Amino acid sequence: MQLAEAQWAGSGRRRDSRRVVRVAAAGLAVCVGAIAGCGNTYRPVVSTIGIVGPAGQPTKYAVAVSSPSPTSNGLLTMVDFSGDTVLVTATLGVNPYYFILNGSGTTGYTLNSDKTMNSFDVSPSLITSQVLQSTLLPGTNPVSVFPSTVSTYIADPGVGAVDQMTGTPPALREALPVGTGYSPIYVVGISGAPRAYAISQGTGGGPGQVQAIETSANTISATLPVGRGPVYGVMTVDDRRVFILNQTDGTVSVINSQTNELDTPVNTITVGPRPVWADLASGLDELVVANEGNGTSPGSVSIVNIPLCSASAIPTNPNCDASNPADATTFGQIVATVPVGINPIMVSVLSDYTRAYVANAGVASLPCAAVAVAGVSTTCTVSVVNLLSDTVTATIPINGHPAYIATADATPTGKVYVVCKDSQVMTVIETDTDSVDTTIPLQGFGVSVRMTSP
């Protein structure tokens, strides 16, 4: 019936169009006669029609930090996502070793070997004189930075505390001690969440701990035990769960950040050997964990199911609370363990959740080669993991030992940016072909790269 109606409508339009042509032709004949009678000569006018091309790529930037040498000033390189054009090159403190953007991607922070911290606005017009510098106190040994909405927190094992910085440029306001026998390593959270979590390792090799920092009051509200050798953590985008990677134990500790306690019933998830990094595939309710392994043979990626009970489950599940949802029955289950390259150090998930890109640093003491020779060279690659099939669909050689990887999704193609600690170029991979598109000079050895938006 719909087909018949469409055909009838189409035939009606065709009949109408033929009638319009006849009427127009008759009118044209009258007009031509009138024009000829006036004795004027008219020339046809041609109007151009603008050609509409594909939509432009969104405005976003890849921001890379590099260091020419341990005694030289570092460099910031800002690259336009749409054309891979270098927009900014600015000077930083001596030998930067850590770099992060705030949650909105508008401000960057670096830690430098000269005991300073740089902060700067992410702008295509940024110049060196606009890069601000904060001098840290004597005895500090900062290892990571977390910028929250109110304060900037620095994990500082040199003074056994988490330093709270405020102002522009950030200055020390208060030091939050982590306690005897612990060394702070990382602060995990998301911008706007009511609390962040400071991760500390046990100095004697024992279990680590996590301290909950109330970001509005800058107080410690809870201290929770985790596994041995915690090194990294991620918080879900709804700030309901926090996952702490325990490298020594090969486990992930789970915190319910709404109750500010270890999660129940699942508070420990066993993954692969030596987990070092993780990213969220939120649209799939999955946590993607990079397991380093022994550093000389292929590592792996653990894909972990992390759903919470949904609103649709409330009528049949009396334990499901929409304001404080419990773990779903499959929470904590390993969906797949995917072998990747040697010594995976980072994983980054595309914002459409279709793929994860894993930076495999290879054997640190050996040079990179396309084909490794045992004891002579190693492979340095990026593994592409399809999150719908949980398989590696491509392995991309990289000219250097990867130090950091960042991804950005877009139409018609996304991009993956890789910097290497022994290379002075940044490699750009296009996601439509999963192959290297170009390289961008950095003028220094790669430290880190971040995207202003996913």
Side-chain angles (χ1 to χ4, degrees):
M1 170 108 85
Q2 292 175 341
L3 178 60
E5 290 174 350
Q7 291 173 337
W8 178 86
S11 63
R13 284 193 294 270
R14 286 193 293 271
R15 286 195 295 270
D16 291 344
S17 65
R18 287 196 293 269
R19 184 174 61 186
V20 169
V21 169
R22 293 193 197 102
V23 172
L28 180 60
V30 172
C31 291
V32 169
I35 292 170
C38 295
N40 295 326
T41 302
Y42 288 84
R43 288 180 251 180
V45 178
V46 178
S47 299
T48 59
I49 299 176
I51 298 175
V52 179
Q57 294 279 33
T59 301
K60 60 179 76 174
Y61 308 106
V63 187
V65 168
S66 61
S67 178
S69 77
T71 58
S72 301
N73 286 90
L75 295 168
L76 178 145
T77 304
M78 187 182 304
V79 177
D80 178 36
F81 172 86
S82 61
D84 294 325
T85 303
V86 175
L87 303 176
V88 169
T89 301
T91 302
L92 302 169
V94 174
N95 192 30
Y97 57 88
Y98 189 86
F99 169 50
I100 193 170
L101 298 179
N102 65 350
S104 60
T106 56
T107 307
Y109 302 83
T110 67
L111 294 174
N112 311 312
S113 297
D114 57 358
K115 302 301 182 184
T116 62
M117 180 175 73
N118 288 132
S119 55
F120 51 87
D121 291 335
V122 177
S123 165
S125 60
L126 177 71
I127 57 177
T128 297
S129 61
Q130 295 170 332
V131 176
L132 305 180
Q133 180 171 294
S134 303
T135 301
L136 304 178
L137 295 177
T140 59
N141 183 29
V143 293
S144 64
V145 179
F146 168 64
S148 74
T149 303
V150 179
S151 303
T152 300
Y153 295 97
I154 299 178
D156 191 348
V159 295
V162 174
D163 303 327
Q164 181 210 13
M165 313 282 284
T166 59
T168 304
L172 180 66
R173 179 176 179 180
E174 186 177 356
L176 302 173
V178 300
T180 304
Y182 294 96
S183 180
I185 189 72
Y186 193 77
V187 179
V188 56
I190 60 173
S191 182
R195 58 180 61 98
Y197 289 86
I199 305 171
S200 297
Q201 298 177 343
T203 54
Q209 70 172 19
V210 169
Q211 292 173 297
I213 303 172
E214 302 299 319
T215 54
S216 59
N218 199 48
T219 57
I220 303 296
S221 59
T223 300
L224 308 173
V226 293
R228 293 180 301 152
V231 292
Y232 188 68
V234 291
M235 178 181 281
T236 56
V237 294
D238 59 8
D239 69 61
R240 287 175 168 169
R241 296 293 184 273
V242 178
F243 300 92
I244 310 298
L245 276 63
N246 305 306
Q247 186 180 46
T248 305
D249 281 350
T251 61
V252 175
S253 296
V254 187
I255 297 171
N256 183 329
S257 51
Q258 289 188 281
T259 62
N260 209 18
E261 299 172 332
L262 291 176
D263 196 23
T264 57
V266 179
N267 57 46
T268 304
I269 303 167
T270 299
V271 289
R274 297 180 65 80
V276 292
W277 203 270
D279 200 4
L280 293 160
S282 302
L284 302 176
D285 285 331
E286 291 178 346
L287 176 72
V288 184
V289 181
N291 304 303
E292 184 180 58
N294 61 13
T296 58
S297 58
S300 64
V301 165
S302 297
I303 301 175
V304 187
N305 215 6
I306 55 168
L308 304 181
C309 62
S310 63
S312 61
I314 293 177
T316 58
N317 183 357
N319 295 321
C320 185
D321 179 353
S323 62
N324 182 21
D327 300 341
T329 55
T330 58
F331 187 95
Q333 294 181 2
I334 303 297
V335 175
T337 300
V338 183
V340 290
I342 296 173
N343 193 18
I345 59 166
M346 280 194 69
V347 58
S348 183
V349 175
L350 284 183
S351 59
D352 65 1
Y353 315 119
T354 58
R355 280 163 287 175
Y357 290 78
V358 184
N360 305 303
V363 180
S365 59
L366 298 177
C368 300
V371 179
V373 177
V376 177
S377 59
T378 184
T379 54
C380 303
T381 61
V382 170
S383 297
V384 184
V385 179
N386 186 310
L387 295 179
L388 305 181
S389 63
D390 297 329
T391 59
V392 172
T393 55
T395 301
I396 306 165
I398 300 297
N399 187 22
H401 296 79
Y404 221 93
I405 187 170
T407 59
D409 190 29
T411 301
T413 180
K415 293 180 181 179
V416 181
Y417 297 87
V418 185
V419 296
C420 301
K421 61 183 179 181
D422 53 348
S423 173
Q424 297 195 41
V425 300
M426 179 165 62
T427 300
V428 183
I429 298 168
E430 291 202 342
T431 61
D432 56 343
T433 60
D434 281 333
S435 61
V436 174
D437 173 58
T438 189
T439 57
I440 299 170
L442 297 177
Q443 305 177 45
F445 298 103
V447 174
S448 180
V449 58
R450 301 274 187 168
M451 291 301 306
T452 57
S453 58

